[in-house]
Structure formats: C-alpha cells, structure tokens
Amino acid sequence: MTAQPAQPVLVRTAAELAALERTGRRAVVMTMGALHEGHATLIRTARRLAGPDGQVVVTVFVNPLQFGAGEDLDRYPRTLDADRAIAEREGADAVFAPSVEEVYPGGEPQVRVTAGPMGELLEGAVRPGHFDGMLTVVAKLLHLSAPDLALYGQKDAQQLALIRRMVRDLNFPVEIVGVPTVREDDGLALSSRNRYLDPAERTAARALSRALFAARDRLAAEHALHARATAGGAALGRADALTAIGEARAAADAHAVAAAAPSPASIKAVAQGVLDEAAKAEPPVVTDYLALVDPATFTDAPEGFGGEAILAVAARVGTTRLIDNIPLTFGAPA
C-alpha cells in the first residue's frame, strides 16, 4: 500500500519557521496563495530537486507592498485550506503563512529593496513601485526561510529576472530555479486571477497566448526559410526559375526575403495583429504592452538581434489584468 504524504506543518511566525527541524537541502516555493496547477508544478519540482531527504517549504503571503492604488489587494483570493491541501498532495513539508503584521511588524518598512532600471520597464512602468515591493518581500522571505533553492514560475518573467539580479548583486546564498509556464489545454497561462473571468472573458483571454504562439510559429517559419536560402536550397532554386522566365526583379525580391534573418519587428507585428483583432471583439482585450525584449535587461531587442529573447504581453479583459510571455530564439547569438 502506498504511504500517504504527511500533512505539511503550518507555521505562522518567523520564530516557528526558524525552529523547524532542517533536513537535507531546503527548497522554498513563494506564493500569494490561491494555488493552482502552476503552483503545484513548482512544488513538485521543488520536491524532486530537494530529494527525499530534503525539505520543501511553501510560503503563502499576499504582499501589500506590491499592490498599487486601485489594484486587487482586497479581493485577491485567500484560500489557505485549499492551498494546504495542494501543498500536501505535492509533498511539501511545511507551509509558512504569516500575517502582514508578522512580516512587517513596524508597519510598512522604511528600508526597501529597489529594483533599479529594469524595475521601471514594462510591468514596472504600468505598476510603479510593484517590483520594489516584490523584491523587498522576496528578500525578507529568503532571509527567514534560508533555502538552498528557491523556485519561481517563468510566467512572471520580469519578476524572475529581477530576483535573479537581486540574488547576484546582493550575494544571497541561494540557487534560483525558473520553472516553465503551465497552461490550460487551450493555451491560457494558469493564473490565480483567471478565476475572476466570466465565460465570455475567459474565451477572450485566449488572445494573449494566441498572439504569442502566432509570433513563435512565424519565427520558426522565417528561420526555416532563411536556412534554406543560405544553404542555396529551394528558395534559391525558385529565384533561378523566376530569372529564367524573365522575372529578374521578382527573383531578386524572393531571394532577398528568403536570405534575410528574422526581424524582431516583424515577429512582434504578427502578435500585435492578433491583439488588434481581439481589441475589436466583445468583450475586448485591451493591451497594456506587447514587448520583445532581451531577457537580461528587459530592454527592446533591436533589429539584427541574435540569441534568446522574451515576447511579453499584458492586457485587461473586463476588470482582470493578465500577463503572459514565451521565450524565442533569434538565430545564433551574436
């Protein structure tokens, strides 16, 4: 008979967390609760990386510092009993669910971590101060939990990049692990905020992932065409055939298109086209931003860019704001 996992210990204070007997490597998964399959994947990955003799701690804390005026702090779902059940199912050893007063005993902290220039771009531009609040609580939770590993989802790509930068710049003794985005069968990225969507909004929200996948597919097609052209294959053969029947200009155009490396601007335009159509639908998808960026800096990928990039989107459907992204690779790194 298969042994059932033990219910994770619920700890509410920093002192209780510090008193937890530590075994093997400790992996921490930081959440704001309202756990779903994306969080479950993080916990399962943490369990695997920590090993049978290690320890997995899940934090559940809705951090007020990272919510701006008019955002959904008050209505953000709080489902601790259900969260504990998911943590138990996936093999967590402890759930740390502190109060706001426990995390910020003197009220809002006067000393905070500043996200710097990257924190002012994209999400930071739309939500000023968000990343300062996020990094401040992540720093506190890393100090309190003292993990060997900390796992975060790649859906929040800018957040993950900033956490990695903070850990590197401030010499936190922890390994940061990014875990791929988990999606519904129809492509929608899992999010605790998806539960706010009514059926029509849920259908409309698929435009975010459709836009990203359309750009990914176009990039793959352009890479294939470019590879054939530079190898002197079918595209050059078509150009030669056109020349043979006197269509020299058409041949030159065909060869130039095939030989050109994929353009960040053209790939982004494909995604923008999907979002533009979604903006005309009912209910409309209202885009906050669509950006193709260098993952190291979150600045725009320039024309001629080579290497890894991130195509990121944020949009509102009804009163719900959603984000998504996919990694893309442009040829060989320069």
Side-chain angles (χ1 to χ4, degrees):
M1 188 177 215
T2 303
Q4 294 299 308
Q7 186 175 38
V9 175
L10 177 64
V11 292
R12 294 284 198 172
T13 69
E16 290 172 342
L17 181 60
L20 274 183
E21 183 180 357
R22 186 163 185 150
T23 59
R25 294 209 302 171
R26 176 179 285 179
V28 66
V29 176
M30 296 183 189
T31 82
M32 293 206 300
L35 302 191
H36 50 63
E37 184 57 30
H39 297 108
T41 299
L42 287 170
I43 300 168
R44 281 198 300 273
T45 305
R47 179 75 276 162
R48 176 175 58 80
L49 294 177
D53 298 325
Q55 188 178 64
V56 175
V57 177
V58 177
T59 71
V60 176
F61 179 65
V62 181
N63 176 34
L65 295 191
Q66 65 194 73
F67 288 79
E71 293 188 340
D72 58 348
L73 173 62
D74 291 338
R75 70 173 184 140
Y76 196 88
R78 291 159 171 85
T79 57
L80 183 58
D81 289 342
D83 297 342
R84 291 183 68 193
I86 291 174
E88 176 181 353
R89 186 188 76 200
E90 303 303 337
D93 298 292
V95 172
F96 178 46
S99 66
V100 173
E101 293 73 24
E102 180 68 20
V103 176
Y104 303 119
E108 288 197 10
Q110 294 184 34
V111 177
R112 306 188 187 198
V113 178
T114 300
M118 194 195 308
E120 298 174 358
L121 305 171
L122 301 187
E123 282 297 289
V126 177
R127 306 175 66 189
H130 166 71
F131 286 125
D132 292 356
M134 179 276 295
L135 289 178
T136 297
V137 79
V138 167
K140 293 200 68 156
L141 291 173
L142 286 174
H143 284 311
L144 292 172
S145 59
D148 301 288
L149 308 166
L151 292 84
Y152 303 90
Q154 292 177 355
K155 183 178 80 72
D156 298 296
Q158 192 174 3
Q159 169 180 287
L160 176 58
L162 281 163
I163 291 170
R164 282 181 164 145
R165 185 65 188 241
M166 177 184 74
V167 164
R168 182 169 68 249
D169 286 355
L170 301 183
N171 298 101
F172 279 75
V174 62
E175 177 185 348
I176 302 300
V177 179
V179 178
T181 300
V182 179
R183 299 183 179 278
E184 300 279 8
D185 291 341
D186 62 4
L188 183 68
L190 287 177
S191 169
S192 299
R193 290 184 169 94
N194 289 353
R195 67 187 67 196
Y196 299 156
L197 301 168
D198 67 28
E201 291 168 345
R202 172 66 178 71
T203 298
R206 293 172 52 201
L208 276 73
S209 57
R210 284 205 317 273
L212 299 178
F213 296 159
R216 178 196 62 191
D217 293 346
R218 174 61 66 85
L219 179 61
E222 290 194 11
H223 273 144
L225 183 61
H226 179 62
R228 288 198 300 270
T230 54
L236 289 175
R238 171 170 168 74
D240 291 342
L242 289 170
T243 300
I245 61 173
E247 298 182 17
R249 181 172 179 178
D253 289 347
H255 179 67
V257 169
S263 158
S266 67
I267 299 306
K268 180 180 171 183
V270 171
Q272 188 63 61
V274 175
L275 295 173
D276 288 345
E277 287 302 310
K280 302 172 187 174
E282 185 57 44
V285 175
V286 181
T287 303
D288 276 349
Y289 62 76
L290 173 71
L292 183 60
V293 299
D294 182 330
T297 62
F298 271 73
T299 56
D300 289 336
E303 291 305 294
F305 180 84
E308 298 296 319
I310 289 175
L311 182 61
V313 62
R316 297 178 187 275
V317 185
T319 60
T320 303
R321 187 173 184 275
L322 302 172
I323 63 172
D324 200 355
N325 72 86
I326 56 169
L328 299 175
T329 302
F330 284 79

